[in-house]
């Protein structure tokens, strides 16, 4: 994979370069840019598959590069020291991200993921909408309202308001929606518990996250359970029952 590194910090640029050289032989570094302007030039000069992109840079930030990324058909792995809110938005919409200081195992895992996605989607750019949604989420300082779900051939960009509930299936998560087929994702439920807005979604069982908008009834007749608007009944664990009751109280007040 032909790649470039974009970061305004010299140490960050050089350390990432040497980590890639040492541990990720499938990555060919075509160039290193210390600004968005330099990155645009590199994208115009060469065919780039993958960009390791810092976000917080003086002048133009990483999101200002999005139009050029879209035109180049490249994929992005963010390298960032952003706060927890931003990480939620990035995790929801990016191919992957690396939190500084970069961990070797996380780097090799992210590069392996990129290799699979780029190989499966050569010549396509399913990530462009994700990046635009991410930039909007961060600039508005609001919870991300869309989330990208890997589907085997790329990503499905879905509205979180359409998610009825999510069920764990071993190391997979199964998303159930209104008006579309379910999507199975090879990520554990915990990741989506962290990403989704906590005022709208709650984990009610080790195997279930539900959207409060779709709860029709909460009862104790057959143990703790919720009845969803689509007719499904979902069990609530005893240790999470009080959390759900409090969330519903706040939600309906």
């Amino acid at each position: 994979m032909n790649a470039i590194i974009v970061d305004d910090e010299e140490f960050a640029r050089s350390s990432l370069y040497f980590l890639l050289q040492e541990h990720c032989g499938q990555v060919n570094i075509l160039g290193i840019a210390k600004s968005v302007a330099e990155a645009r030039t590199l994208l115009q000069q060469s065919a780039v598959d993958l960009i390791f992109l810092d976000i917080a840079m003086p002048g133009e930030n990483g999101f200002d590069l999005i139009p050029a990324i879209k035109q180049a058909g490249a994929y992005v792995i963010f390298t960032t020291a952003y706060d927890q809110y931003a990480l939620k938005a990035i995790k929801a919409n990016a191919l992957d991200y690396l939190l500084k200081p970069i961990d070797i195992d996380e780097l090799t895992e992210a590069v392996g993921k990129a290799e699979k996605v780029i190989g499966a989607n050569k010549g396509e750019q399913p990530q462009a909408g994700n990046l635009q949604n991410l930039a909007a989420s961060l600039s508005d300082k609001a919870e991300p309202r869309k989330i990208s779900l890997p589907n085997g051939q790329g990503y499905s960009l879905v509205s979180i308001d359409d998610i009825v509930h999510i069920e764990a299936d071993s190391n997979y998560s199964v998303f159930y929606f209104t008006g579309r087929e379910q999507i199975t994702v090879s990520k554990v439920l915990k990741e989506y518990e962290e990403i989704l807005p906590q005022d709208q979604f709650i984990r009610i069982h080790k195997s279930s996250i539900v959207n409060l908008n779709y709860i029709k009834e909460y009862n104790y007749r057959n143990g703790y359970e919720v009845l969803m608007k689509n007719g499904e009944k979902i069990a609530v664990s005893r240790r999470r029952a009080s959390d759900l009751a409090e969330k519903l109280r706040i939600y309906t007040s």
Side-chain angles (χ1 to χ4, degrees), residues 43-105:
L43 289 173
Q44 291 168 356
Q45 292 174 343
S46 307
V48 176
D49 300 309
L50 183 62
I51 303 169
F52 294 91
L53 180 62
D54 187 24
I55 297 175
M57 293 182 282
E60 295 179 290
N61 66 35
F63 298 117
D64 293 318
L65 191 60
I66 288 174
I69 294 171
K70 181 178 179 181
Q71 186 173 2
Y75 286 79
V76 173
I77 293 176
F78 288 104
T79 58
T80 179
Y82 252 50
D83 60 24
Q84 187 58 41
Y85 159 73
L87 289 182
K88 289 177 69 175
I90 292 167
K91 287 174 73 174
N93 295 284
L95 174 62
D96 212 335
Y97 77 98
L98 298 167
L99 186 61
K100 297 177 181 178
I102 292 172
D103 178 81
I104 294 172
D105 292 336

Side-chain angles (χ1 to χ4, degrees), residues 23 36 40 45-46 50 64 71 88 101 109 120 133-134 158 164 193 200:
H23 301 281
V36 168
R40 287 195 189 97
Q45 292 174 343
S46 307
L50 183 62
D64 293 318
Q71 186 173 2
K88 289 177 69 175
E109 182 180 350
N133 181 61
L134 173 56
V158 302
V164 178
E193 183 181 11
Q200 184 176 348

Side-chain angles (χ1 to χ4, degrees), residues 8 12 31 47-48 55 62 71 82 85 97 99 113 123 125 130 135 147 149 152 157 167 184 214 248 250:
D8 66 302
V48 176
I55 297 175
Q71 186 173 2
Y82 252 50
Y85 159 73
Y97 77 98
L99 186 61
K113 183 190 297 185
Q125 179 48 289
N130 301 1
I147 186 170
L149 303 177
L157 191 63
E167 298 296 321
T184 300
Y214 292 100
L248 287 171
I250 295 171

Side-chain angles (χ1 to χ4, degrees), residues 139-166:
S139 64
D140 291 345
K141 288 298 180 185
E143 294 280 6
R145 303 312 299 174
K146 290 190 177 182
I147 186 170
S148 60
L149 303 177
N151 58 26
Q153 288 77 43
Y155 289 82
S156 297
L157 191 63
V158 302
S159 169
I160 65 166
D161 293 325
D162 292 338
I163 301 170
V164 178
H165 63 103
I166 314 164

Side-chain angles (χ1 to χ4, degrees), residues 78-252:
F78 288 104
T79 58
T80 179
Y82 252 50
D83 60 24
Q84 187 58 41
Y85 159 73
L87 289 182
K88 289 177 69 175
I90 292 167
K91 287 174 73 174
N93 295 284
L95 174 62
D96 212 335
Y97 77 98
L98 298 167
L99 186 61
K100 297 177 181 178
I102 292 172
D103 178 81
I104 294 172
D105 292 336
E106 292 178 356
L107 174 62
T108 56
E109 182 180 350
V111 168
K113 183 190 297 185
E115 188 175 24
K116 290 179 181 178
V117 172
I118 290 170
N121 297 284
K122 200 69 175 177
E124 299 180 9
Q125 179 48 289
Q127 195 190 17
N130 301 1
L131 292 173
Q132 290 168 339
N133 181 61
L134 173 56
S137 294
L138 290 170
S139 64
D140 291 345
K141 288 298 180 185
E143 294 280 6
R145 303 312 299 174
K146 290 190 177 182
I147 186 170
S148 60
L149 303 177
N151 58 26
Q153 288 77 43
Y155 289 82
S156 297
L157 191 63
V158 302
S159 169
I160 65 166
D161 293 325
D162 292 338
I163 301 170
V164 178
H165 63 103
I166 314 164
E167 298 296 321
D169 183 4
S170 186
N171 289 326
Y172 294 82
S173 296
V174 183
F175 284 73
Y176 294 83
F177 303 92
T178 58
R180 65 180 297 165
E181 294 182 354
Q182 67 193 52
I183 297 175
T184 300
V185 178
S186 57
K187 290 185 179 182
V188 296
L189 207 60
K190 177 68 174 176
E191 291 202 34
Y192 295 105
E193 183 181 11
E194 294 174 352
I195 291 171
L196 293 167
Q198 295 181 3
D199 62 344
Q200 184 176 348
F201 290 84
I202 182 170
R203 191 163 185 171
I204 60 172
H205 191 278
K206 67 179 181 180
S207 301
S208 304
I209 293 174
V210 299
N211 186 338
L212 295 172
N213 289 335
Y214 292 100
I215 294 179
K216 182 178 181 180
E217 187 177 309
Y218 178 30
N219 63 64
Y220 322 97
R221 286 192 294 271
N222 301 307
Y224 295 97
E225 68 177 17
V226 291
L227 174 64
M228 307 301 286
K229 290 181 181 178
N230 62 1
E232 293 189 57
K233 295 179 180 179
I234 304 173
V236 180
S237 67
R238 284 189 173 273
R239 75 183 189 91
R240 296 179 186 271
S242 60
D243 290 342
L244 175 59
E246 177 63 14
K247 261 295 178 57
L248 287 171
R249 184 190 67 78
I250 295 171
Y251 183 74
T252 55

